[in-house]
Amino acid sequence: MNKALIVNIYIEHPIMQLNSTFSYYYQDKRKIERGMRVKVDFNGQRIVGFVDSTFEVGDLEKYQLQLGYQLKPIEEVIDREPIINDELYDLGLWMSRQTISPIISCFQSMLPSTLKPVSSAKRAVMENWVKIINKEVKQMYGFEDDEVLLKDFKEKVSDYHYRKLKNHGHIEVEKKEKRIEVEKFKVYDAPYNLTKQQKQAIETINNTNNNVILLHGLTGSGKTEIYLQLAKQACLKDKQVLVLVPEISLTSQMVNRFKDRFNSIAIYHSGLSAQEKYQQYTLVKEGKVKIVVGTRSAIFMPFKDIGLIVLDEEHDSSYKQDSTPKYNTRDIAIKRSETHNCKLILGSATPTLESYARAIKDVYKLVTLDKRINQDLPKSYLVDMSKEIRKGNYIISSPLLKAIEERLEKKQQVILLLNRRGYTPIVKCSSCSYVVMCPHCDVALSYHKDDDKLVCHVCGYSQSNDLTCPKCANKMWRNYGVGTQRLTEEIQKLFPQARIVRMDADSTRKKDAHSKILNSFEKQKYDILIGTQMISKGLDFPNVTLVGIFNADGPLHRTDYRSVETTFDLIVQASGRSGRSSNPGEVYVQAYDINHYGIRLAVKQDYITFFNNEMSYRHAGKYPPYTFMAAIMFVGKDDETIKDKAFAASDYFRNDSSIRVLGPSRLLKIKGEYRYRIIIKSKDKKQLIEKLWLWYEAQSINKRQLSVQIDVDPYILD
Ligand code: ADP
Ligand code: ZN
């Protein structure tokens, strides 16, 4: 008899997009369970898989005879304990179902990169410990514990005595995986009393039976204070708290707010080193950490007992992952709050239309904060740039210029938002108007003056700026448009004495660059902060009393159905950075299309009117939240193959009367690959997903030829 375990595992198939398991046999003694990673041979390649299930067979040969083929062995079990616990395993299956994506990709996206392909143990940092065998040694030197860090031991014991003790076997030295010391949990009180609105909000949240709460509060209305209070309640019940922010640049500020109230906080985001991530992950897994502040991927941390999840700035597009699996963090948060039976707070001054619509229908509990804590909302002015240009003010309007001057005199701070990095977005031949394009994408290259290069903002390709026009052999080039680098230069020319700092994807490449820039701005080492959308959200700088928004209506011209909403959000959020403390604030919004309702209502900070207006457009166009959408993208090197696939798919769905199909439309080429997209809409999300699966499983897709990317509830469609 040749007993064996048959192990079904998920692996990443190198060619096909499949969602089925593969079987291997296992005859070792060591534990093998669902959620552990294993190494196997697949067509001569060694790959990592996740165990889904196991069962025992009495006789392996007989079993293989029945099967009609030979199984291969599991070559190695990577984990000692399941790396994905039961809750997360089920979550992965659910996520795969909801996002129409391979199960394996869902598991992979749950784990920090260190844990993905290789054994976690290899990554751990080791340190030396002294184990005290002879208890008298403890008394003699006043140690409290039986085990002491070697470096602490040597602080009290001379080298000579240390060697003597060791040689006589009174102590032993051993290597151990480095642990982070976790202090005993402490909570500090708020330095002020809660306002009536805040108290009421907390009461409503605690009393509602609904686990999902939409906290709609103006910028600066005290939402974060409510998170802090609820976190305290949860921690005192010995539960864990997860606070999500949309971008790394916001973690440091949120962490600081939490550190004022709680002595130990874990931080988790993509800017951490592999080792740091691994440590934080382990601390959470072992239940040693109560509060985690992090970005999107923190939603998958292996919490034991969650008492509260906060999703701050719930409208933010960063919560949607833009590669497969294209999940929305909000959906995962809702799922986990159900599993842990805990409250989930979706906080925003500009909730997504779908969240607000659900809140007024009582699917979520709506809680509103309609007053700012310290000040009224800032005074906002809309500046008509077509008039300014006639006066020769191409970049900075005269009222904004004057306002900056005033702030500099008063030693107050200024934030200027321009959502476009680089020096200029377009470089044209001065003689024939040839535009320099990316060789891999249908996109113009932007000029970056910092490193004197032309850069593609889509694929990152860059080339030297020293070039000859391929069309007319001319060597003179003209720069069009304004990016953050050029704006910084212009402002510096106008205000030579001003201390200016720039924050965009280029200036924040280095580790911790975000928090360095923001910290020094907060300490008033700079007068003006210039940046892209990364400075528009969440930041709370008391001394900022002026915000200027450049090219505010620029994003309106995108074809995306959500472009008015995202433009509105950007203006309202950026405006909210002004006048948050004792000094009143001002905002200048520079735009061309000054009569657009999205711009006008954003300047007035009138969310409710905007919501009603925009909802009627969505209704007329049959867009979310009135329907559910999915985008199917076909991507590959051969134009014809992809085009055929896209048309076949659109024909397939057009046969179904409950589904509306848009497209196929040909999108811009990116990284040398052609892209076609169809969009399907349905009134019923469950049905939409079922139909997508039916279609998807009937496809035989060779990943080498094309990839099919499905995006259910797409956030951005441009
Ligand atoms: P939001 O998160 O809604 O933007 P915050 O919670 O950051 O608002 O509050 C804005 C400012 O008001 C912060 O500086 C915060 O410290 C302060 N604050 C919040 N609640 C109170 C309160 N009850 N009394 C005094 N100041 C408060
Ligand atoms: Zn490119």
Side-chain angles (χ1 to χ4, degrees):
M1 289 296 258
N2 186 7
K3 267 208 311 199
L5 276 182
I6 304 301
V7 184
N8 298 316
I9 65 171
Y10 285 109
I11 55 170
E12 193 174 347
H13 196 290
I15 302 169
M16 312 295 263
Q17 301 205 132
L18 286 174
N19 230 355
S20 49
T21 54
F22 292 85
S23 300
Y24 288 80
Y25 74 86
Y26 183 70
Q27 290 181 310
D28 267 16
K29 292 244 154 51
R30 243 178 76 191
K31 188 162 83 172
I32 186 163
E33 278 177 17
R34 185 170 99 142
M36 286 184 180
R37 291 164 308 157
V38 293
K39 280 190 187 157
V40 294
D41 174 282
F42 188 86
N43 283 343
Q45 262 184 306
R46 234 171 155 239
I47 51 181
V48 173
F50 288 87
V51 176
D52 177 65
S53 58
T54 61
F55 62 90
E56 205 181 75
V57 291
D59 187 335
L60 180 62
E61 273 76 46
K62 218 165 128 192
Y63 181 73
Q64 294 186 133
L65 220 63
Q66 279 167 3
L67 274 181
Y69 55 88
Q70 298 282 308
L71 295 177
K72 284 185 196 149
I74 299 274
E75 291 187 354
E76 186 190 334
V77 181
I78 298 174
D79 305 305
R80 302 232 169 97
E81 294 296 325
I83 192 73
I84 296 186
N85 66 26
D86 280 343
E87 185 211 345
L88 292 174
Y89 200 94
D90 290 340
L91 185 68
L93 298 183
W94 175 83
M95 203 171 133
S96 156
R97 175 87 200 148
Q98 297 296 312
T99 57
I100 331 281
S101 44
I103 288 172
I104 184 97
S105 71
C106 295
F107 290 153
Q108 282 166 339
S109 64
M110 287 179 167
L111 298 175
S113 54
T114 12
L115 293 178
K116 265 177 218 160
V118 290
S119 165
S120 48
K122 284 183 203 136
R123 294 285 182 155
V125 171
M126 306 303 277
E127 58 190 2
N128 289 317
W129 285 77
V130 172
K131 200 167 159 189
I132 301 174
I133 310 284
N134 185 341
K135 303 291 171 244
E136 278 171 30
V137 175
K138 267 170 74 177
Q139 274 179 359
M140 217 151 65
Y141 294 98
F143 291 116
E144 283 176 13
D145 303 307
D146 292 342
E147 294 186 23
V148 185
L149 260 177
L150 179 62
K151 75 172 174 23
D152 294 343
F153 192 85
K154 284 192 167 176
E155 256 172 32
K156 290 193 178 168
V157 184
S158 74
D159 241 20
Y160 171 77
H161 283 110
Y162 162 74
R163 259 178 279 130
K164 216 167 152 188
L165 288 170
K166 204 167 128 190
N167 290 341
H168 286 91
H170 296 309
I171 60 167
E172 279 171 8
V173 178
E174 56 184 21
K175 269 198 191 319
K176 281 192 186 184
E177 188 176 312
K178 186 170 176 182
R179 300 264 145 191
I180 308 176
E181 293 301 313
V182 186
E183 286 174 52
K184 203 166 170 297
F185 190 73
K186 281 189 216 127
V187 183
Y188 315 114
D189 284 333
Y192 38 67
N193 294 320
L194 295 188
T195 64
K196 210 171 136 208
Q197 268 205 335
Q198 283 171 326
K199 276 191 204 144
Q200 270 170 359
I202 290 167
E203 226 180 83
T204 314
I205 292 168
N206 282 332
N207 290 333
T208 177
N209 291 325
N210 202 331
N211 269 348
V212 186
I213 289 103
L214 178 66
L215 180 60
H216 177 219
L218 294 176
T219 53
S221 59
K223 293 187 290 299
T224 310
E225 182 56 42
I226 290 176
Y227 307 155
L228 290 163
Q229 296 291 331
L230 296 171
K232 179 175 160 184
Q233 291 176 4
C235 290
L236 294 178
K237 284 188 210 143
D238 223 18
K239 289 179 185 262
Q240 292 174 299
V241 175
L242 170 62
V243 182
L244 293 162
V245 293
E247 289 196 32
I248 299 184
S249 60
L250 296 175
T251 41
S252 60
Q253 191 144 357
M254 189 62 88
V255 166
N256 288 341
R257 293 286 293 271
F258 271 79
K259 274 192 177 153
D260 286 346
R261 300 296 170 78
F262 307 96
N263 66 331
S264 91
I265 310 284
I267 307 166
Y268 196 81
H269 57 65
S270 59
L272 298 183
S273 72
Q275 175 64 22
E276 287 166 332
K277 272 192 194 168
Y278 171 67
Q279 281 176 340
Q280 303 293 27
Y281 197 81
T282 316
L283 285 177
V284 168
K285 195 160 171 235
E286 291 169 358
K288 288 189 179 149
V289 149
K290 284 212 192 314
I291 300 177
V292 176
V293 176
T295 50
R296 191 175 63 218
S297 56
I299 191 64
F300 296 117
M301 292 194 96
F303 293 99
K304 289 192 155 165
D305 188 5
I306 312 181
L308 172 73
I309 306 175
V310 173
L311 198 80
D312 193 28
E313 315 289 358
E314 74 90 32
H315 61 277
D316 200 286
S317 62
S318 320
Y319 284 127
K320 176 89 187 191
Q321 168 142 305
D322 52 16
S323 57
T324 304
K326 300 189 174 190
Y327 66 87
N328 191 325
T329 313
R330 184 182 55 214
D331 300 332
I332 310 284
I334 291 173
K335 188 76 183 163
R336 288 199 89 178
S337 86
E338 274 168 20
T339 313
H340 288 260
N341 191 20
C342 71
K343 293 262 145 70
L344 163 65
I345 314 288
L346 308 172
S348 179
T350 53
T352 51
L353 295 203
E354 53 270 35
S355 289
Y356 200 77
R358 275 175 213 155
I360 51 183
K361 275 171 121 185
D362 253 355
V363 181
Y364 305 156
K365 178 75 191 170
L366 179 64
V367 175
T368 307
L369 299 173
D370 59 6
K371 287 188 193 72
R372 265 196 165 184
I373 298 277
N374 294 316
Q375 275 288 340
D376 289 334
L377 281 170
K379 275 211 180 71
S380 291
Y381 305 94
L382 187 54
V383 184
D384 183 350
M385 279 312 280
S386 32
K387 280 193 189 141
E388 289 292 319
I389 280 182
R390 267 175 254 142
K391 289 190 251 166
N393 304 326
Y394 293 98
I395 301 178
I396 301 152
S397 63
S398 43
L400 177 56
L401 190 76
K402 200 163 146 261
I404 297 176
E405 217 167 70
E406 267 174 40
R407 299 311 129 137
L408 292 176
E409 258 162 40
K410 286 190 196 156
K411 304 255 175 284
Q412 293 173 358
Q413 287 170 295
V414 180
I415 289 181
L416 301 178
L417 169 78
L418 170 61
N419 201 11
R420 187 188 276 152
R421 65 194 176 95
Y423 191 75
T424 52
I426 291 176
V427 182
K428 261 189 195 173
C429 169
S430 64
S431 129
C432 76
S433 289
Y434 173 88
V435 174
V436 189
M437 302 288 288
C438 173
H440 313 293
C441 309
D442 293 337
V443 174
L445 293 180
S446 300
Y447 176 50
H448 283 230
K449 201 170 183 178
D450 281 5
D451 34 15
D452 196 31
K453 283 216 160 97
L454 299 175
V455 180
C456 173
H457 285 184
V458 173
C459 74
Y461 164 87
S462 72
Q463 65 179 47
S464 113
N465 178 39
D466 171 32
L467 74 176
T468 312
C469 178
K471 228 169 120 187
C472 73
N474 172 34
K475 273 186 181 286
M476 291 281 289
W477 296 90
R478 241 187 234 135
N479 287 315
Y480 287 89
V482 186
T484 44
Q485 293 181 1
R486 175 143 178 229
L487 183 62
T488 306
E489 193 178 282
E490 297 288 334
I491 302 278
Q492 192 73 76
K493 266 190 229 156
L494 291 163
F495 303 103
Q497 77 289 9
R499 297 163 305 164
I500 305 176
V501 64
R502 202 188 81 219
M503 184 156 150
D504 53 29
D506 300 305
S507 72
T508 52
R509 288 238 171 80
K510 290 208 187 94
K511 191 168 156 41
D512 296 335
H514 296 99
S515 51
K516 272 188 198 144
I517 295 176
L518 295 176
N519 283 341
S520 37
F521 187 67
E522 180 160 31
K523 288 191 191 122
Q524 305 189 25
K525 290 185 182 154
Y526 296 101
D527 308 304
I528 304 178
L529 172 67
I530 296 180
T532 52
Q533 43 78 32
M534 50 169 90
I535 62 167
S536 67
K537 355 173 153 164
L539 303 173
D540 183 25
F541 298 119
N543 198 37
V544 172
T545 56
L546 174 65
V547 166
I549 304 173
F550 292 80
N551 197 23
D553 53 341
L556 278 183
H557 307 303
R558 296 208 338 258
T559 49
D560 182 12
Y561 77 97
R562 212 190 279 265
S563 62
V564 183
E565 183 182 345
T566 45
T567 307
F568 177 88
D569 292 353
L570 187 68
I571 298 173
V572 172
Q573 293 293 340
S575 305
R577 305 311 114 211
S578 182
R580 291 171 71 85
S581 188
S582 47
N583 295 316
E586 276 187 340
V587 180
Y588 288 84
V589 180
Q590 297 191 169
Y592 295 90
D593 196 354
I594 57 161
N595 290 316
H596 195 286
Y597 70 97
I599 303 289
R600 290 204 163 266
L601 293 169
V603 171
K604 283 210 233 153
Q605 307 249 341
D606 185 352
Y607 177 82
I608 305 293
T609 312
F610 173 73
F611 173 81
N612 291 325
N613 255 317
E614 187 61 18
M615 283 294 272
S616 61
Y617 286 107
R618 300 278 179 93
H619 185 70
K622 298 198 171 59
Y623 276 109
Y626 291 100
T627 50
F628 293 96
M629 267 188 350
I632 312 178
M633 183 104 89
F634 301 83
V635 184
K637 300 253 183 251
D638 183 57
D639 201 355
E640 283 303 310
T641 316
I642 324 160
K643 193 172 165 185
D644 288 349
K645 279 275 179 196
F647 273 93
S650 103
D651 289 346
Y652 174 97
F653 286 108
R654 268 180 227 279
N655 280 331
D656 187 328
S657 61
S658 71
I659 283 183
R660 285 168 59 90
V661 183
L662 306 178
S665 44
R666 189 172 197 267
L667 306 185
L668 299 179
K669 187 175 80 178
I670 283 184
K671 296 183 192 171
E673 294 194 304
Y674 296 94
R675 303 184 304 152
Y676 284 86
R677 183 178 64 202
I678 68 168
I679 289 168
I680 62 176
K681 295 185 190 175
S682 166
K683 282 246 158 239
D684 185 331
K685 178 150 179 198
K686 235 178 113 188
Q687 265 188 30
L688 185 74
I689 285 176
E690 270 162 26
K691 287 173 178 171
L692 274 165
W693 271 111
L694 272 177
W695 172 80
Y696 182 71
E697 288 188 323
Q699 303 302 302
S700 64
I701 294 155
N702 186 336
K703 282 205 277 184
R704 292 210 180 104
Q705 276 176 6
L706 86 161
S707 81
V708 174
Q709 297 158 12
I710 300 179
D711 189 351
V712 180
D713 300 332
Y715 195 93
I716 302 257
L717 274 182
D718 49 3

